[in-house]
Amino acid sequence: MQNLDERRKIELYTDLKEIINMAEEGLLVAEKEIEVNNYDIDAMGIVSNIVYVRWFEDLRTVFINKYMTFSEMMNQHISPILMKTEIEYKVPITIHDQPVGRCWYVQGGRMKWVFKFEIASGDKIHCIGQQTGGFFDLERQRITKMPAIFQDILK
């Protein structure tokens, strides 16, 4: 039977491998310090799971706004949409943590994009995740091709 220190080392190693894989297969496009607010925590004193989804959205928005503002998208009658979110929770975040979020752009094709995420503080990986999405034509009410600027970033 493994002791607690050995198990923690294995967990850290596994987390580190996942981060290296994200960095190798994508482009780090956003990194920001995340403020944990009192309304983010639940009765147990930890950040509610749904808050991580909001933080993923914040990170993705930081990236998107570098290339095209929401106002520009509205003028073109398009909007980014989310099709799938996957989150693996590892270590809870409390009000005392000072997490940093990172976002990698790993796929940008003609019709969809894929981002990978990590929320960490110090040597603790709190969660990793992935989102898949695309762009929506607001006039035609259907999925549309991604703007060329987003398709070309990974080329």
Side-chain angles (χ1 to χ4, degrees):
M1 183 172 194
Q2 296 175 330
N3 68 32
L4 192 57
D5 287 338
E6 288 175 354
R7 282 195 305 231
R8 181 68 184 136
K9 285 178 186 176
I10 291 169
E11 288 173 4
L12 286 171
Y13 176 74
T14 303
D15 292 344
L16 185 58
K17 278 180 33 182
E18 178 68 28
I19 292 166
I20 290 168
N21 287 340
M22 283 189 248
E24 287 177 349
E25 67 180 66
L27 177 66
L28 181 64
V29 293
E31 181 174 32
K32 71 178 249 179
E33 293 179 6
I34 297 171
E35 182 178 356
V36 180
N37 295 292
N38 62 333
Y39 53 82
D40 293 329
I41 58 173
D42 61 20
M44 294 175 26
I46 61 173
V47 170
S48 175
N49 288 353
I50 195 66
V51 173
Y52 293 86
V53 176
R54 188 183 79 229
W55 290 343
F56 285 7
E57 290 295 298
D58 291 343
L59 288 162
R60 189 169 48 83
T61 299
V62 166
F63 161 69
I64 288 174
N65 285 340
K66 288 179 187 176
Y67 296 93
M68 182 180 282
T69 66
F70 196 67
S71 176
E72 291 170 320
M73 288 182 236
M74 291 292 98
N75 287 337
Q76 294 181 32
H77 307 287
I78 60 172
S79 177
I81 61 166
L82 191 55
M83 298 172 192
K84 181 178 177 181
T85 298
E86 298 175 26
I87 300 177
E88 184 178 337
Y89 302 100
K90 303 226 177 235
V91 177
I93 295 176
T94 70
I95 196 81
H96 307 290
D97 291 310
Q98 297 176 327
V100 173
R102 293 179 186 89
C103 173
W104 287 267
Y105 188 37
V106 297
Q107 183 182 342
R110 194 170 98 68
M111 297 301 286
K112 76 174 186 177
W113 47 256
V114 177
F115 290 97
K116 288 196 175 180
F117 300 88
E118 156 198 292
I119 308 291
S121 58
D123 66 347
K124 290 189 286 190
I125 305 299
H126 297 287
C127 80
I128 56 174
Q130 179 171 309
Q131 287 185 337
T132 303
F135 277 80
F136 193 75
D137 185 315
L138 299 170
E139 290 181 331
R140 295 187 181 113
Q141 294 292 297
R142 62 184 175 124
I143 301 292
T144 190
K145 68 179 182 171
M146 290 203 334
I149 193 161
F150 296 114
Q151 293 181 43
D152 296 340
I153 290 170
L154 295 175
K155 290 182 179 176

